[in-house]
Amino acid sequence: MYRTHTCGELRLTDAGKTVTLAGWVQRTRDLGGLTFVDLRDRYGITQLSFNVERDKALCDQANTLGREYVILATGTVKERESKNLQIPTGEIELIVTGLKVLNAAKTPPFTMEEETDGGDDLRMRYRYLDLRRANIRKNFELRHRMAIETRNYLSAHHFLEVETPVLIKSTPEGARDFVVPSRMNQGEFYALPQSPQTFKQLLMVAGFDRYFQVVKCFRDEDLRADRQPEFTQIDCEMAFVEQEDILRMFEGLAKHLFKAVLDKEFSSPFPRMTFDEAMRDYGCDKPDLRFGMRFNELNDLLQGKGFKVFDEAELVVGINAEGCAGWSRKQTDSLIDFVKRPQIGATGIVFLKWTTEGLKSTVDKFFTPEQLKAWAVRCGMKEGDLLCIMAGKADRTRKQLNELRLHLGDLCDLRDPWAFSPLWVVDFPLLEQDEESGRWHAMHHPFTAPKPEDAHKLESDPGGVKANAYDLVINGTEIGGGSIRIHDRAMQEAMFRVLGFTDEEARYKFGFLLDAFEYGAPPHGGAAFGFDRWVSLFGGRSDIREFIAFPKNNAGRDTMIDAPSRLDAAQLAELGIASVG
Amino acid sequence: MYRTHTCGELRLTDAGKTVTLAGWVQRTRDLGGLTFVDLRDRYGITQLSFNVERDKALCDQANTLGREYVILATGTVKERESKNLQIPTGEIELIVTGLKVLNAAKTPPFTMEEETDGGDDLRMRYRYLDLRRANIRKNFELRHRMAIETRNYLSAHHFLEVETPVLIKSTPEGARDFVVPSRMNQGEFYALPQSPQTFKQLLMVAGFDRYFQVVKCFRDEDLRADRQPEFTQIDCEMAFVEQEDILRMFEGLAKHLFKAVLDKEFSSPFPRMTFDEAMRDYGCDKPDLRFGMRFNELNDLLQGKGFKVFDEAELVVGINAEGCAGWSRKQTDSLIDFVKRPQIGATGIVFLKWTTEGLKSTVDKFFTPEQLKAWAVRCGMKEGDLLCIMAGKADRTRKQLNELRLHLGDLCDLRDPWAFSPLWVVDFPLLEQDEESGRWHAMHHPFTAPKPEDAHKLESDPGGVKANAYDLVINGTEIGGGSIRIHDRAMQEAMFRVLGFTDEEARYKFGFLLDAFEYGAPPHGGAAFGFDRWVSLFGGRSDIREFIAFPKNNAGRDTMIDAPSRLDAAQLAELGIASVG
């Protein structure tokens, strides 16, 4: 070992000890005769002290040290004269008697402070320097801790971690697969798993009873800030369970992580909301419950009074922005601009303000003061509040108002990243219909079972079938979800038919699973959680890339190693493939 | 929850309770009026009891249950009349009052007992049934336990588990990469990692200090029983360490696993042997030390006496097979046949037997009794022993005698899978020369540092350079290994030159690492352990496929899901690739 202690370890009680530290030069201060060096490692920062009277040569050497030099310093621990009580090692310093440069460093391309001057591209290209920033490194300490706690919780509950294969078969449903050409079976390809779904179900058929895996999954999709081509899932499955057992088990996991990692206690059960309620009351299936602004449907009050926009709408719906009545015209106009952006595509907002002067709406001429009063009562307004009303096609209007609600939540500072509001959304529809093609898609995936009471109408009324499927939503982010699965061959075949598979396709892609269901498949269900997202939520940030050591950019590139890259011709020839087009 | 208890849980103290069990029908015995069903789950087997007098309908139903039916049984726990003390639940049975078939089962294609009648192909095709066999499932309980213990040990020693990317850049050295065509960057490919080597080194440059990962790695090589295209590694790296620190840390891990998993205590340090000693004394770099038969070099005693085979040999070397003097001519002939097989390619063995009639060799006419006596003394023989001597080119002869030694170890039952003999092999050569091309290859990998005292001759005398590289060998299996790495740009560039890289190639493939070394790279080193192999060693088996849930066969196929497979034309077109040839 080069060092006797880390840079975060020495305290006043170590005074007098001779120690050796190793680390990086965070900064050097030459005070003329006296030089201080802040030596940094993962564990902390310790002040090194050099004195020209004590040892001129050593002091001169210290003055030549550049930022990020890797050095070894031996000396005696001494109580500091001017203490820094902000850091754990701030009461001591090291009176250096020996100094060795282990490796010099060029000037880094950006500052390695909490707020860096490095742009995204530069930081990613020199990710190994970016990762030296204490706030970024803490993200990985958090990630490590959450993984360990997850494994220990699940292991204590008799889950076995079983590694499922990465080289599997391509069965793209929805998302695209990454594929791997096979050298030994030319013309054939493996696929990287989008999830270990079928394997974990086979482990249930195998009697493993409780399975989990913290596992990399892959999707060849166009990327966004919260999507990476490879991502990590906490993947779980249990046999002989009903939905209630699964919710209880993973609510337990979530509570365990909240407590162990963030020291947050949730004494009561997480609230639950059906999918239909969530859509009706918040216009989305992952409502952020850190704040109110529940939807109020207003058709009965607002229609038939001659205001065409309302009269012609399928849905008129409003949310009450508490305390916003004093907003200026400029501020409310900017809300209208917000919903008119093409990503949202609304036509406008009708406002009702309740100021000291009473209720005032932007459509006063169509409504009486009593009518406005009735809106306010319906929406629970009080003086000082601002009602925002949107109208139009029901689905689209709900989506638009949801966007506005989240935006208002941001503007009103109601979305504190350190306040956590977990929620189970349950009773998802089994299928959703593609508007254009009219085809049915699995809302969750093709292995989700219909609710037993709806099973009979799977083929006759697919849209009316609900599933025992559930999502865990925290602060408006879908952390994970799952379902009770089909474990019966006939039911699975019916499901594939509804999804438009021919029997041949179903057999070709999933014959092994259909076969397995005939050899004693137990009832089972499970869940999967997006680990990157969960960690970033616990880290108080929304960009998952800050919690992935070496992420890809939005073009799917790792700019540090410069991947992907061209292969040489021999490598392609050996694989029996060629690049075309 | 379908069940109130598992099938491994009920004891005499539960007598009188009403419980519900769920599981698989292991077997049914219809004793005429009395029917017993063994109900199995992951946790055990519980006997269900049906009595025609008690409930004829129920008893009739029980008699219709087939093997591997999934059922639910409710009833009362009762003390058994004839107890089975072989199993933990053997003192009780369940007097069944309610029975429900959750899923019927076709007759399985092979028996699911410890010794199955299913051949390899059938077992792999129906792996989900094979995994129901208790002895196979135990392998995965072991694997889970070892992974948890490994993580907790390393975490307690301040290692952070950091996930490195799976989609990286192709830089094949030695083994072939699996590659992944990029849709977003057409004509370019990712590669799957053969190991996270460069990433873990960058994490050291980033100041992470101690890193580990239990991680899937990939090699597109032709397969054998102990090789899979995807395999799992315990991958570790530490900064500011010397070889001794690394050996101590991972000897600690090994001892922890021995204790926690197998309850085996190793109180003294693992023995160490240099690479040169291992080659000299055992003819291989991973000697199995569960038994002796150390090599005895005999050139000085055996040459110059007129026996041409010895006289013309570069090396004459023997091993003493204790207690084998009584072997028949047929037995010793079979040893000769063994070494003459093309895989070994030796020309023969000279034997010296020490029986009650004294010493007798197969080359008596060239040597005096005194000379034979001298051989025996040199090799530590006693009456009853058999000396086996081989001669020829030094390297080849050592390899051949190593094979014979292991074979003799098997024949003499000296390789008990439950006796464990760990060993560190140290001081590996940095490079090895390809006999045909004369090119130098990294013995470990191109990032291993030369020993400081040998560094000056890296380019002038590559073959004479040793490395601080080490392997952990247990029972003749290389469980893992590692080295102190290069952390200096100039040294790494010199290493690439010795390996025959042009500067351009080095920069293209590893420019990011060379750059990183200029921004404050600490001295570092690490190790990686083959997790599949380690688990199989602890499981007392040599076939790693028994410890991998869904392995590939020797043609790289998963016959259960039938992968790899052909892609449809649209998928290929979207990726911009075509199959050729």
Side-chain angles (χ1 to χ4, degrees), chain B residues 282-284 295 319 338-339 341 343-344 390 396-410 415:
Chain B
Y282 297 94
C284 82
F295 286 15
I319 52 177
F338 175 82
V339 299
R341 293 180 316 151
Q343 304 97 299
I344 300 185
M390 295 176 75
R396 202 175 310 154
T397 305
R398 288 196 178 101
K399 260 185 212 160
Q400 293 163 346
L401 190 60
N402 167 53
E403 296 291 343
L404 177 63
R405 176 177 176 270
L406 295 175
H407 184 59
L408 283 167
D410 286 333
R415 306 182 74 190

Side-chain angles (χ1 to χ4, degrees), chain A residues 1 3 43 103 132 143 158 163 166 176 188-190 209 230 232 245 519 521 556-557 565 574 578, chain B residues 1 3 42-43 103 132 143 163 166 176 188-190 209 230 232 245 519 521 556-557 565 574 578:
Chain A
M1 210 72 197
R3 66 195 173 206
Y43 310 95
N103 216 341
R132 283 189 195 161
R143 189 176 177 117
H158 308 298
E163 295 174 60
V166 176
R176 285 183 208 90
E188 298 189 328
F189 293 78
Y190 302 99
D209 205 64
E230 50 180 297
T232 304
D245 305 302
Y519 286 104
R557 296 200 72 82
S565 64
E574 208 175 16
Chain B
M1 209 75 198
R3 65 195 174 206
R42 175 181 135 201
Y43 311 95
N103 216 341
R132 283 188 194 161
R143 188 174 178 119
E163 295 174 60
V166 176
R176 285 183 209 87
E188 299 190 326
F189 293 78
Y190 303 99
D209 206 66
E230 51 181 296
T232 303
D245 305 303
Y519 285 103
R557 296 199 72 82
S565 65
E574 209 175 15

Side-chain angles (χ1 to χ4, degrees), chain A residues 342-502:
Chain A
Q343 304 96 301
I344 299 185
T347 49
I349 308 172
V350 168
F351 294 103
L352 175 66
K353 283 185 182 187
W354 188 343
T355 65
T356 47
E357 290 153 37
L359 289 165
K360 182 149 183 51
S361 94
T362 46
V363 289
D364 273 358
K365 61 177 171 179
F366 297 100
F367 300 93
T368 66
E370 289 67 38
Q371 286 168 343
L372 297 184
K373 181 73 193 171
W375 307 4
V377 169
R378 165 79 55 88
C379 299
M381 287 177 78
K382 56 186 187 322
E383 193 181 303
D385 291 354
L386 172 71
L387 182 65
C388 306
I389 302 170
M390 295 177 73
K393 288 276 289 178
D395 283 0
R396 201 176 312 155
T397 304
R398 286 196 178 101
K399 258 184 213 160
Q400 292 162 347
L401 190 60
N402 166 54
E403 296 291 342
L404 178 64
R405 176 179 175 270
L406 295 175
H407 184 57
L408 283 167
D410 286 332
L411 292 176
C412 299
D413 250 341
L414 300 171
R415 305 181 77 190
D416 173 6
W418 301 113
F420 293 95
S421 200
L423 166 74
W424 288 108
V425 178
V426 299
D427 295 349
F428 275 81
L430 183 66
L431 299 148
E432 56 186 344
Q433 195 164 24
D434 185 72
E435 279 186 34
E436 278 175 43
S437 67
R439 277 187 63 161
W440 291 99
H441 294 288
M443 189 120 180
H444 200 76
H445 56 51
F447 312 105
T448 295
K451 277 185 184 273
E453 61 270 29
D454 291 347
H456 65 279
K457 55 184 179 188
L458 177 58
E459 300 193 67
S460 57
D461 174 21
V465 178
K466 297 278 195 225
N468 281 324
Y470 32 81
D471 276 355
L472 175 61
V473 174
I474 306 180
N475 295 0
T477 296
E478 182 210 321
I479 291 299
S483 63
I484 297 294
R485 327 297 187 186
I486 297 168
H487 66 283
D488 174 84
R489 181 174 185 131
M491 174 69 79
Q492 187 67 66
E493 286 174 332
M495 181 70 176
F496 285 140
R497 274 196 302 277
V498 172
L499 295 173
F501 285 55
T502 64

Side-chain angles (χ1 to χ4, degrees), chain A residues 154-287:
Chain A
L154 292 172
S155 188
H157 287 85
H158 308 298
F159 285 78
L160 293 179
E161 184 160 25
V162 179
E163 295 174 60
T164 53
V166 176
L167 297 170
I168 66 166
K169 182 174 176 168
S170 185
T171 55
E173 309 304 320
R176 285 183 208 90
D177 284 329
F178 283 105
V179 300
V180 179
S182 167
R183 179 182 55 86
M184 289 206 271
N185 304 274
Q186 299 225 337
E188 298 189 328
F189 293 78
Y190 302 99
L192 305 183
Q194 297 189 27
S195 98
Q197 184 61 34
T198 51
F199 290 99
K200 69 176 174 177
Q201 292 190 242
L202 291 176
L203 288 173
M204 295 304 101
V205 177
F208 274 48
D209 205 64
R210 294 182 174 190
Y211 144 92
F212 84 101
Q213 194 179 185
V214 181
V215 61
K216 274 279 175 79
C217 300
F218 306 85
R219 258 175 231 174
D220 185 11
E221 289 299 290
D222 298 325
L223 304 174
R224 304 188 305 234
D226 67 338
R227 267 210 200 149
Q228 284 279 312
E230 50 180 297
F231 55 97
T232 304
Q233 210 165 274
I234 303 171
D235 192 52
C236 309
E237 198 79 1
M238 305 170 76
F240 300 115
V241 287
E242 287 150 338
Q243 170 172 302
E244 195 54 40
D245 305 302
I246 299 177
L247 297 192
R248 198 182 314 122
M249 180 62 69
F250 296 107
E251 186 165 319
L253 170 63
K255 286 180 173 178
H256 175 75
L257 290 178
F258 270 120
K259 178 69 189 155
V261 177
L262 296 179
D263 197 29
K264 293 212 180 259
E265 199 102 43
F266 285 83
S267 49
S268 39
F270 292 172
R272 296 189 190 179
M273 193 181 282
T274 66
F275 171 86
D276 289 345
E277 288 164 353
M279 295 308 291
R280 185 193 64 203
D281 294 345
Y282 297 94
C284 83
D285 61 359
K286 41 178 192 280

Side-chain angles (χ1 to χ4, degrees), chain A residues 1-3 22-24 42-43 68 70 103-107 128-129 131-132 137 140 143-144 148 151-152 155 158-170 176 178-185 187-190 199 202 205-210 216 218 220-223 230 232 240-242 245 487 508 512 515-516 518-523 549-550 552 555-557 560-567 571-572 574-580, chain B residues 1-3 22-24 42-43 68 70 103-107 128-129 131-132 137 140 143-144 148 151-152 155 158-170 176 178-185 187-190 199 202 205-210 216 218 220-223 230 232 240-242 245 487 508 512 515-516 518-523 549-550 552 555-557 560-567 571-572 574-580:
Chain A
M1 210 72 197
Y2 282 74
R3 66 195 173 206
W24 286 261
R42 176 180 133 201
Y43 310 95
E68 301 303 319
V70 182
N103 216 341
K106 294 203 291 196
T107 305
Y128 47 87
L129 299 180
L131 291 172
R132 283 189 195 161
R137 200 192 51 241
F140 296 92
R143 189 176 177 117
H144 167 72
I148 286 273
R151 286 190 162 97
N152 286 338
S155 188
H158 308 298
F159 285 78
L160 293 179
E161 184 160 25
V162 179
E163 295 174 60
T164 53
V166 176
L167 297 170
I168 66 166
K169 182 174 176 168
S170 185
R176 285 183 208 90
F178 283 105
V179 300
V180 179
S182 167
R183 179 182 55 86
M184 289 206 271
N185 304 274
E188 298 189 328
F189 293 78
Y190 302 99
F199 290 99
L202 291 176
V205 177
F208 274 48
D209 205 64
R210 294 182 174 190
K216 274 279 175 79
F218 306 85
D220 185 11
E221 289 299 290
D222 298 325
L223 304 174
E230 50 180 297
T232 304
F240 300 115
V241 287
E242 287 150 338
D245 305 302
H487 66 283
Y508 176 72
F512 60 98
D515 288 348
E518 293 193 295
Y519 286 104
F550 301 100
K552 307 280 188 292
R557 296 200 72 82
M560 181 186 70
I561 62 171
D562 195 24
S565 64
R566 297 201 168 266
L567 301 184
Q571 221 175 335
L572 288 174
E574 208 175 16
L575 294 169
I577 58 168
S579 287
V580 293
Chain B
M1 209 75 198
Y2 284 72
R3 65 195 174 206
W24 287 261
R42 175 181 135 201
Y43 311 95
E68 301 303 318
V70 182
N103 216 341
K106 294 203 292 196
T107 305
Y128 47 87
L129 299 179
L131 291 172
R132 283 188 194 161
R137 199 192 52 240
F140 296 92
R143 188 174 178 119
H144 168 72
I148 285 274
R151 286 190 162 96
N152 287 338
S155 188
H158 308 297
F159 286 77
L160 293 179
E161 184 159 27
V162 179
E163 295 174 60
T164 54
V166 176
L167 297 171
I168 65 165
K169 180 174 178 169
S170 185
R176 285 183 209 87
F178 283 106
V179 300
V180 180
S182 166
R183 178 181 56 85
M184 288 206 271
N185 304 274
E188 299 190 326
F189 293 78
Y190 303 99
F199 290 99
L202 291 176
V205 177
F208 274 47
D209 206 66
R210 295 182 173 190
K216 275 278 174 78
F218 306 86
D220 185 12
E221 290 299 290
D222 299 325
L223 304 173
E230 51 181 296
T232 303
F240 299 114
V241 288
E242 286 149 340
D245 305 303
H487 65 284
Y508 177 72
F512 61 98
D515 288 347
E518 293 194 294
Y519 285 103
F550 300 101
K552 308 279 188 291
R557 296 199 72 82
M560 180 185 73
I561 61 172
D562 195 24
S565 65
R566 297 202 167 263
L567 300 184
Q571 220 174 334
L572 288 175
E574 209 175 15
L575 295 169
I577 58 169
S579 288
V580 294

Side-chain angles (χ1 to χ4, degrees), chain A residues 1-2, chain B residues 238 240-249:
Chain A
M1 210 72 197
Y2 282 74
Chain B
M238 305 169 77
F240 299 114
V241 288
E242 286 149 340
Q243 169 170 303
E244 195 56 39
D245 305 303
I246 299 177
L247 297 191
R248 197 182 315 123
M249 181 62 69

